[in-house]
Amino acid sequence: MKNKTSFLPQEREARPSRCPDNSAFKQQKLPAWKPQLSIATVLSSFFLTGVFCLSVGVCLIISANSVKEIQIDYSDKCSDCSKLRENSSNWNKECHCSVNFMLKEDMLGDVFMYYGLQNFYQNHRRYVISRSDAQLLGRNVNVQKSYCAPFTTYRNGTPMAPCGAIANSMFNDTIDVFYNVNSSVTQVPLLKTGNSWWTDKNVKFRNPRSYNLSSAFTGTARPPYWQKPVYLLDEEDERNNGYVNDDFIIWMRVSAFATFRNLYRRVRRIRHFADGLPAGNYTFHISYNFPVTKFKGRKYVILSTVVWSGGSNPFLGIAYVVSGTAATLTGFVITAIQLKLRKKKTYFQK
């Protein structure tokens, strides 16, 4: 036993040390600034933060309230078309309806048209991943190995382009606006392009390379719920077809909430509409294609202006006001505690 234990100190000395080097960096001895928080510094920080957040919040709320917006629910007004679309066998039958509305005030500046959906849940995991990003980049991929199932191929093996549940459920109502003035009807010019993000249009979505867009999609078929193939989404503008179609790109950016709106068109500011939409009577002419009765949904058309802070959503302004109020109240609570402790300290010193 003595022979065995006599070698232990030597073995310990032979082992490499696990201690860090004796340097300022590894021993954490570098010079550092350590703030000394006084009561004046803490209170000024809370009060300045509260004043800043309250000021920004009030400005954002006032700005959001200055947005002019009108929302039209056409779910019930197009009930005949809705009943027709309940039967999926009527997918190739056209159905049109009209909705009249009035603008009481001029909508000056840039006017944006949105379509809104209610009770349409896009945040389900299987729905969100049901797409092929490689296919949307114009690559030749095997969609059966993607997450697009069950919207990958038809029974005869023809692949779908684009594949997936998101693309298959794309909103496909066609909405036109007409201005009724002095017994005459003028169609409001609308812009179809320039509505999507630049990164989506130029980075995330690309068409397959080919001398002709229709030949690029040879051997593929449209999704089951579509009425047109992907290369004919916009028959008036060839550059707005295929995977780079603005309506398709906007739809593929799924929403986190069941009630949402997507940008559909922008009013082109020419002739009677150079300054925006004048007050008066208008009519929506709708080609009804998107069924919502099966999931108890609603459909809207929204016309809205924008301001420097965005649309008419006051959430950001309310969040700033709540944060500013909380910071200010915290400052007052700390002040009261400090005054109470100072008074008690003075009493004991006497």
Side-chain angles (χ1 to χ4, degrees):
M1 295 295 294
K2 292 183 179 180
N3 293 334
K4 292 182 180 180
T5 56
S6 61
F7 293 100
L8 288 177
Q10 297 179 358
E11 292 179 0
R12 290 178 181 176
E13 292 178 359
R15 293 177 183 175
S17 176
R18 300 180 63 182
C19 296
D21 296 336
N22 189 19
S23 61
F25 176 76
K26 292 189 176 181
Q27 294 296 333
Q28 298 183 9
K29 294 181 180 180
L30 292 174
W33 176 68
K34 298 179 181 180
Q36 300 295 330
L37 297 178
S38 63
I39 186 63
T41 305
V42 173
L43 289 177
S44 60
S45 300
F46 274 104
F47 284 121
L48 288 175
T49 303
V51 171
F52 173 78
C53 291
L54 286 173
S55 303
V56 174
V58 170
C59 292
L60 289 173
I61 291 175
I62 294 174
S63 176
N65 291 335
S66 65
V67 174
K68 294 182 179 179
E69 180 177 299
I70 182 172
Q71 179 172 292
I72 307 297
D73 185 344
Y74 66 95
S75 304
D76 298 330
K77 297 178 181 179
C78 298
S79 57
D80 293 338
C81 293
S82 178
K83 293 178 181 178
L84 180 69
R85 288 289 175 253
E86 288 180 3
N87 189 350
S88 59
S89 61
N90 297 326
W91 66 270
N92 59 345
K93 296 181 180 179
E94 294 184 358
C95 189
H96 302 273
C97 59
S98 299
V99 179
N100 299 319
F101 67 98
M102 183 181 66
L103 285 182
K104 297 181 180 180
E105 298 178 356
D106 295 340
M107 300 183 71
L108 302 178
D110 294 328
V111 181
F112 297 83
M113 179 191 293
Y114 303 84
Y115 62 84
L117 292 176
Q118 180 180 341
N119 206 37
F120 188 91
Y121 290 85
Q122 290 187 309
N123 55 3
H124 194 280
R125 181 180 178 275
R126 290 192 63 186
Y127 181 88
V128 171
I129 66 174
S130 184
R131 57 187 292 166
S132 174
D133 291 323
Q135 184 191 49
L136 299 177
L137 283 172
R139 300 172 184 172
N140 187 12
V141 296
N142 184 2
V143 295
Q144 290 184 339
K145 296 182 179 180
S146 66
Y147 293 105
C148 291
F151 301 100
T152 53
T153 60
Y154 286 91
R155 293 182 179 179
N156 59 1
T158 305
M160 300 179 189
C163 69
I166 307 176
N168 183 61
S169 61
M170 176 181 169
F171 183 86
N172 57 350
D173 282 1
T174 303
I175 307 171
D176 295 315
V177 190
F178 292 86
Y179 179 44
N180 309 316
V181 58
N182 298 329
S183 301
S184 62
V185 178
T186 304
Q187 185 172 3
V188 179
L190 301 175
L191 294 173
K192 298 181 179 179
T193 57
N195 301 325
S196 60
W197 294 7
W198 184 91
T199 52
D200 287 345
K201 189 85 171 180
N202 297 275
V203 179
K204 294 184 178 180
F205 294 83
R206 295 176 185 174
N207 284 325
R209 294 184 179 181
S210 179
Y211 68 93
N212 189 353
L213 190 59
S214 60
S215 63
F217 289 97
T218 301
T220 63
R222 57 173 178 79
Y225 289 173
W226 284 27
Q227 295 177 324
K228 301 177 182 178
V230 66
Y231 54 87
L232 291 178
L233 290 178
D234 189 352
E235 299 179 2
E236 299 176 359
D237 188 355
E238 295 182 356
R239 297 172 298 178
N240 192 36
N241 267 321
Y243 297 146
V244 296
N245 177 265
D246 276 47
D247 293 338
F248 174 71
I249 291 175
I250 292 173
W251 177 259
M252 293 299 291
R253 185 178 293 277
V254 297
S255 173
F257 302 99
T259 299
F260 61 92
R261 64 175 65 178
N262 284 336
L263 182 59
Y264 182 67
R265 297 288 183 266
R266 290 178 295 127
V267 174
R268 188 179 181 186
R269 298 175 63 177
I270 57 174
R271 297 191 297 273
H272 300 291
F273 313 99
D275 298 326
L277 290 180
N281 296 318
Y282 290 83
T283 303
F284 285 132
H285 285 188
I286 302 169
S287 177
Y288 197 105
N289 298 307
F290 193 85
V292 295
T293 54
K294 289 185 177 180
F295 56 88
K296 299 180 181 179
R298 311 286 297 180
K299 292 195 292 186
Y300 306 90
V301 183
I302 303 104
L303 293 174
S304 176
T305 59
V306 295
V307 290
W308 62 270
S309 60
S312 62
N313 190 353
F315 174 79
L316 186 60
I318 295 174
Y320 267 101
V321 169
V322 172
S323 301
T325 303
T328 305
L329 290 176
T330 304
F332 281 117
V333 171
I334 295 175
T335 303
I337 295 174
Q338 176 64 17
L339 292 176
K340 186 176 180 180
L341 292 176
R342 181 181 295 180
K343 185 177 180 180
K344 185 181 295 186
K345 183 178 180 181
T346 304
Y347 173 79
F348 282 111
Q349 286 178 351
K350 291 181 178 181

